[in-house]
Amino acid sequence: MKTLTEEILAFNKARGWTEGNRDARNLAISVSLEASELLEHFQWQSGEQAVANNRESIMEEAADIYIYLLQLADVAGFDLDEAALAKIRKNALKYPLPAGEHQ
């Protein structure tokens, strides 16, 4: 993921997009806006229909969200992979398996 983040940062730098708007607040807003764009593809149809009809657009919106999340993690100074793994472990404690079931 570090290589991907570096590639995103280089892409932005080459276009002069590193100044002004690349802060945690603006990146968080961008994540939310892109997530809303993703949701538009699912409006008024089942999930299966949405994917069948809009797979490419859904993939692109998901990628936009991912790109903004990686930039947010970079600006905020955390590793997104590590944060996700820590959250999974936290959720495992919060929502343990029913007795007798194993992972």
Side-chain angles (χ1 to χ4, degrees), residues 26-72:
N26 285 314
L27 291 167
I29 289 169
S30 295
V31 168
S32 181
L33 292 172
E34 293 296 338
S36 294
E37 290 179 19
L38 174 64
L39 284 173
E40 284 183 316
H41 297 292
F42 291 88
Q43 190 174 22
W44 314 123
Q45 56 189 331
S46 72
E48 294 79 15
Q49 289 171 323
V51 171
N53 296 332
N54 304 294
R55 186 176 186 280
E56 186 73 23
S57 296
I58 289 168
M59 184 174 64
E60 288 178 3
E61 297 302 345
D64 285 340
I65 295 164
Y66 189 51
I67 289 166
Y68 280 124
L69 280 173
L70 288 173
Q71 291 178 84
L72 177 61

